[in-house]
Amino acid sequence: MQKITIITIAIIATLAIIIFSGFRQNDQHTMSDFNDNYDAEWRTIDSLERQGLPKSALEKTEALLTRAKSEKNAPQTVKALVYYNKYQSQLEEDGYVKAIYRMEQEAEKADFPAQPILQSMVGEMYQNYLDQNQWQLRNRTQTLDFKQDDLQTWTAEQLNQKAIDLYNASLTHERTQEVKLGDFNVILTEGKLTEKLRPTLYDFLAHRAIDFFMNERTYLTQPAYKFYIDQPEAFASAKTFAKHNFETKDKTSNKYLTILRLQELIDFHLKDKTPDALIDADLKRLRFVHQNAVMSDKDDLYLKALEDLQNTHKNHPAYTEIALQIATIYDNRGQKYKPSPEATNQFDRKKAYNILKEAAERFPDSYGAVKCRNMMKGIEIGGIKDPRIETVNPMNIPFLMKISYRNVEKIQVKAVKLEEEDNKKMDGKKEEELIQFFNKKKPVYSNTYTIRDEGDYQEYSTELKVGGLPSGRYVIMACPNESFDIEDANIAYAYTHVSNISFFSRDEPGGATCFHVVDRVSGKPLSNVKAEFFQRDYNRKTRKYSPKPAGETTSDENGWLIRKENVGPRGWVNVKFTHKDDVLHLDQRFTSRYNSVTYPYSRNVFVTFFTDRAIYRPRQTIHFKGLAMSVNEAGLPEIAPNEAVTVSFLDVNRQEIEYVRLTSNEYGTISGTFTVPSTGLTGQMQIKAEIIYSTRDQGYKYIQVEEYKRPKFEVKFDPVKESYRVGDKVTVKGKAQAYAGSNVDGAKV
């Protein structure tokens, strides 16, 4: 069931004020006469809505609507009508569609000035219905000679055209240009859209229509003679633009309709004593044309048009809003700057800053000056980010850190050593908490670096030399000042290990993992290096992994060490190397398996699974059977006897519940059972095979686990053998039968 969500309470209040302003000219009632007598009812309705009682709110709204109509109170009538449709749509099927019908009927019966406003509102409702359902309407074609009385059968083109017609109809009432809003400033919300920018009802409706037309819906069918904005007059002065004839065959193009409505709106304001509304409409026109024009020099035309507009209105406070658009162009150009001898936009951001500053100083109390100062702050913001360091650096030798910076003259760097027990303390902390944790530790190194500031507000990067450190794991922190206070300045950091131990690994035939340990500086093999292995152990209660010891060994005189112990079905291990006072423990995992059978390095063994059913309930037993097969050199499948297979049972989050190790028999088959957990999430679970050194997808089977009630009967329908046309009555026969074999009678269908 859909709900009316497109008309907000703010819009309702604005509409009511606008309608009321049309009646104020010929009626001596005061604002309190129209509104005070309804306040108690609206408070009751709002209270019922907050309590989640739309039916009760509907009854109160219906009574209020009847009263408002009888008293011919237009503002309260429109407001009550919108609320009535909102509540009604929550209580009936296809509520949104029926709300459109009701609002359209009210628009047809309404008098001026309510009618144009309701037409605009209904146009927006059609527009929203189209946007929300365009994925269903994308491939729908129009049916000829068919009564189109149900909008749910319309095509996207029909809905779009209906919205266009309604928006256009709302602008056909010439008297809307005479309805003023100036008498009601005391109840209008202060903001940019003051009476200077929307002085009449026509302005309000025209801007709503233009906003609709500006959205070119790409999923609608476009004609071969599509309208393009390719004439330089689109960037001309307001007077020239308003009088120019933009010719096209595509009269339904949203871009074309936008141009027409902008011409009408600008022409309406060309003779205004104050240019506020004209400048606002002209800026909207230039932004739209720039975004949609197809001329190759549209950027230059846009900038020149803005500069001409600024010179025309250099003594008006709206000068600041024009300056904001010009500065945005230069700022966007400046952000694309990349240092090179050919680059010409290095100081564009500085130029944007100077334009904003000059405009804000000229008219410091204007609305545009506030936005100019906000943009200036964005350009002024300095900081550092994206520090990059090698994962491991040699002991007691300075290393480099690359860092990006903007608008800073100094960078303070410090190194903090992290112990192994700090990992648990850091787990789950947010960035701010981590920085506070690092700041509590005493740094082992610090330095201040002076940075050259070009004064162009651009972002650069540099490399800083960090002093040599002893073995360990470190976090290198950088800050534009010495405080390292996250509230005063941004702080960037990166992790690194310092160690002279270096290694590489390889997998040996049979499943062993081999490591070769050498000195990071000289490259000589390191003997007597202790290697401790850890397996990740998952704790289901805490839902976290923790390291679990899984053996250790020592490198020989040539720096070689081999890990042979099997550590579980996956065989993933983490290694910690220790050589005298040098320790290297990276967050890196390696495959480590060992089996007495020696396999060739590349094999094509896989398992096809079969289960006794497709869906299970919690606590039930899953019986599975698997057929292990391989692909020979000729590409033909054959059974794989005596194959070691690890079969894992995974829950809906792909976490292992249990596993079994099996060996295929002489026919290549394996079988076993798993028990579905009695607790936890239900849904799609998986049985998965793992085979050592298989290069194929090793086999899996999805099963469904649900809390369901086993059906006791089934219903089968006889096939339809005749042909029917639309409007014919069709009789369908079927039979309900229990699984025990007896017929089911008296069942409700």
Side-chain angles (χ1 to χ4, degrees), residues 227-506:
F227 172 71
Y228 292 99
I229 302 177
D230 54 4
Q231 302 178 47
E233 286 80 6
F235 287 103
S237 66
K239 186 175 182 179
T240 302
F241 167 78
K243 302 301 181 184
H244 183 72
N245 182 25
F246 291 88
E247 296 183 356
T248 180
K249 294 181 180 179
D250 185 11
K251 301 297 183 180
T252 61
S253 166
N254 277 20
K255 288 187 176 68
Y256 177 69
L257 294 173
T258 303
I259 292 292
L260 290 184
R261 292 309 177 196
L262 283 168
Q263 285 182 305
E264 294 170 0
L265 181 63
I266 289 173
D267 185 63
F268 173 61
H269 287 294
L270 280 174
K271 297 180 181 179
D272 288 354
K273 294 181 180 179
T274 57
D276 299 80
L278 175 63
I279 295 172
D280 182 63
D282 212 17
L283 284 174
K284 184 177 232 179
R285 182 258 302 194
L286 292 174
R287 283 194 299 269
F288 170 76
V289 172
H290 177 248
Q291 291 170 0
N292 295 277
V294 295
M295 296 95 83
S296 59
D297 58 344
K298 68 175 185 178
D299 292 342
D300 296 331
L301 291 172
Y302 181 46
L303 180 58
K304 184 179 185 307
L306 287 172
E307 290 174 343
D308 291 343
L309 185 64
Q310 188 181 41
N311 291 330
T312 303
H313 302 287
K314 58 185 177 182
N315 296 321
H316 191 274
Y319 174 92
T320 54
E321 297 188 46
I322 305 171
L324 184 72
Q325 299 302 320
I326 297 174
T328 301
I329 295 175
Y330 283 106
D331 187 51
N332 291 336
R333 289 181 180 179
Q335 291 185 37
K336 299 176 182 178
Y337 167 71
K338 293 183 179 179
S340 69
E342 297 80 18
T344 59
N345 54 342
Q346 176 181 354
F347 289 93
D348 278 2
R349 300 201 76 193
K350 185 174 183 179
K351 187 171 183 177
Y353 183 87
N354 292 336
I355 291 171
L356 296 167
K357 183 178 179 181
E358 186 270 338
E361 290 176 349
R362 177 178 289 197
F363 299 98
D365 299 326
S366 65
Y367 176 80
V370 176
K371 299 176 72 174
C372 287
R373 285 189 287 267
N374 289 337
M375 187 172 176
M376 288 170 61
K377 291 178 182 178
I379 297 176
E380 289 173 343
I381 290 176
I384 54 178
K385 66 176 184 178
D386 198 22
R388 299 184 182 183
I389 314 175
E390 292 286 347
T391 303
V392 185
N393 290 285
M395 294 169 54
N396 304 315
I397 298 177
F399 55 88
L400 296 176
M401 176 178 71
K402 183 179 180 181
I403 192 166
S404 299
Y405 67 93
R406 183 161 73 94
N407 301 344
V408 298
E409 297 180 351
K410 291 183 179 182
I411 298 179
Q412 184 74 21
V413 174
K414 69 177 181 179
V416 174
K417 188 173 184 180
L418 300 175
E419 306 298 339
E420 285 197 16
E421 57 268 20
D422 290 333
N423 291 332
K424 291 184 178 180
K425 299 177 183 178
M426 295 164 55
D427 187 28
K429 288 186 179 294
K430 299 179 181 178
E431 185 174 21
E432 293 185 4
E433 297 172 331
L434 282 175
I435 292 175
Q436 293 173 356
F437 176 75
F438 299 150
N439 282 335
K440 293 179 181 179
K441 288 180 167 291
K442 184 177 180 181
V444 297
Y445 171 85
S446 63
N447 197 5
T448 302
Y449 302 85
T450 302
I451 304 297
R452 179 182 175 182
D453 185 7
E454 300 287 347
D456 53 9
Y457 301 105
Q458 296 289 354
E459 183 177 296
Y460 293 93
S461 62
T462 187
E463 289 186 322
L464 306 177
K465 184 176 74 171
V466 181
L469 300 172
S471 174
R473 182 184 178 219
Y474 295 87
V475 57
I476 311 299
M477 305 175 66
C479 182
N481 57 51
E482 299 180 358
S483 67
F484 283 92
D485 188 346
I486 196 170
E487 295 183 359
D488 294 340
N490 73 299
I491 299 172
Y493 62 90
Y495 298 102
T496 187
H497 295 262
V498 175
S499 173
N500 280 354
I501 299 174
S502 182
F503 68 93
F504 68 86
S505 65
R506 72 183 185 193

Side-chain angles (χ1 to χ4, degrees), residues 496 538 570:
T496 187
Y538 183 72
R570 289 183 179 80

Side-chain angles (χ1 to χ4, degrees), residues 119 346 377 627 652 666 711:
Q119 288 171 332
Q346 176 181 354
K377 291 178 182 178
L627 176 61
V652 293
E666 57 184 316

Side-chain angles (χ1 to χ4, degrees), residues 41 44 100 157 173 208 231 244 389 408 468 510 520 632 650:
E41 287 93 330
T44 301
I100 294 177
E157 287 75 12
H173 305 261
R208 280 175 56 84
Q231 302 178 47
H244 183 72
I389 314 175
V408 298
R520 182 172 298 276
N632 59 25
L650 310 180

